[in-house]
Amino acid sequence: MFIATLIAKETLNERNIQSGIASLDASGATITRQSDRIDGRALDIFFEGDPVTARAHLETMAGEIDIAVQPEANRLKKLLISDMDSTMITIECIDELADYAGIKTQIAAITERAMLGELDFEEALRGRVALLKGLDTAAIQQCLDERVKIMPGAEILVRTMAQSGAATILVSGGFTRFAKPVAQAIGFKFFYANILDEGEGVLTGALDGPIVDSSRKAELLKLGAQAASLPLELCMAVGDGANDIPMLQRAGLGVAYHAKPKAAQAADVAIKYNDLTALLYIQGIAADQWVHK
C-alpha cells in the first residue's frame, strides 16, 4: 500500500483533490481510501499500484501543489539528515562570504555549476576557497550576522522530529564556522562540515582535514543510522544540489527541497512550493503536533 500526499502552498480545495484522484486513476492505481483535509492544506490518498507511475501523473497537476508518494509502512521517520546551504538556510555561505572579498559574482558562478553537477565538487570547493585567501576572518561573523537566514519551517521541522525522538544531523559541503551556529539555532544534535584554515586573523585559502562531499554525506547517513540502530528505511534525507544525490538515494525517503534539476529527479519527493513543514505533513504530522521554538 502506498500514500500520495497532496500539500498546497495555501489552501487545498476540492478541485485540487479531484485532480489528484483523477491523476491516480489515470496512472492505473486503485484508490482504497483518503483522509480528511489536514489543516486545510494537505490530504492523504491511500492506493495500490506503481508508485513511480503514480508520482509522474500526480506531478502534472495544476497549481502550487507538492506531491509525495511513499509506502504506507515506515512513514514516520526516526532520523533526519539535511544539507545546510539553500536547504536549512536561505543562502550559499561561500557566495555571501565571497561578497566581503569583492568576488561574489566569480565564486557564485562556480557554486551554481557545482550544485548543478557540472563540476567536480571537491575541486570546485578547493578552488573557491583558494580565492578567499587573505580575507579577514571577522568577515565570517559579519556574514553570519548579516546574511544567514533560517529557511522557513526549518526550526519547526527539526524540533518536532527531535522531540519525537528522531536523530537530527546537519551535513554541509560548506564550513563548520557556519554549520555550528546554524545547527544550534535550528536544533540539530549533530553537525558535520568543512574546516576553513585560518592563520593570523585571515583565511589561508586552504581547508583543514577531509572534505564533506557527496560520498561523505552518504557515509554520515549510514553511520548515523547505525548509531541510532535504525534501518535506512526509517531515515529521511533532505538536500538541494547534485552533491546531495547519493544521500537522497540511500535514505528511506530522499527529499529534494527547492532543488536543482538533477537532485529533484533523483529524489523520492521534490518540494517545489511549500516550506520545510511540508516534510511533517509527508510523515502524517499535523500542525497541532508541531514544536515551535
Side-chain angles (χ1 to χ4, degrees), residues 28-86:
T30 300
I31 296 172
T32 59
R33 69 185 192 278
Q34 69 182 58
S35 71
D36 294 329
R37 262 176 285 207
I38 305 161
D39 301 330
R41 291 180 53 203
L43 181 87
D44 291 330
I45 305 174
F46 297 79
F47 71 94
E48 295 177 349
D50 177 33
V52 176
T53 304
R55 174 185 173 183
H57 279 75
L58 286 164
E59 288 185 340
T60 65
M61 289 175 58
E64 295 182 329
I65 309 294
D66 284 316
I67 305 298
V69 176
Q70 63 182 318
E72 181 179 8
N74 298 323
R75 181 184 192 182
L76 188 64
K77 303 307 181 188
K78 296 298 182 183
L79 184 148
L80 171 68
I81 185 167
S82 178
D83 174 49
M84 182 177 72
D85 290 23
S86 298

Side-chain angles (χ1 to χ4, degrees), residues 4 14 18 98 108 138 182 215 222 279:
E14 188 61 30
Q18 292 306 315
V182 167
S215 61
K222 179 181 176 181
L279 278 61

Side-chain angles (χ1 to χ4, degrees), residues 112-176:
E112 178 71 7
R113 292 188 64 197
M115 293 302 98
L116 288 168
E118 297 175 357
L119 300 174
D120 176 77
F121 178 82
E122 180 172 349
E123 182 179 345
L125 177 63
R126 291 190 184 278
R128 284 174 290 164
V129 170
L131 293 172
L132 296 176
K133 183 177 180 179
L135 180 65
D136 194 313
T137 56
I140 297 172
Q141 188 61 49
Q142 188 177 359
C143 187
L144 274 163
D145 295 339
E146 297 177 349
R147 307 288 179 91
V148 174
K149 306 296 181 186
I150 303 300
M151 190 70 74
E155 292 175 80
I156 293 174
L157 169 65
V158 175
R159 294 178 187 279
T160 299
M161 291 189 68
Q163 181 162 294
S164 72
T168 55
I169 306 169
L170 184 68
V171 290
S172 176
F175 312 117
T176 54

Side-chain angles (χ1 to χ4, degrees), residues 195-249:
I195 302 171
L196 284 167
D197 190 53
E198 304 173 20
E200 298 181 357
V202 299
L203 298 181
T204 68
L207 292 166
D208 185 10
I211 298 296
V212 177
D213 57 7
S214 61
S215 61
R216 179 60 175 160
K217 287 184 175 184
E219 180 185 18
L220 287 166
L221 163 61
K222 179 181 176 181
L223 293 172
Q226 289 175 345
S229 300
L230 294 171
L232 290 174
E233 288 77 11
L234 288 175
C235 301
M236 175 187 286
V238 191
D240 73 300
N243 65 318
D244 297 313
I245 290 175
M247 175 178 74
L248 297 178
Q249 292 181 323

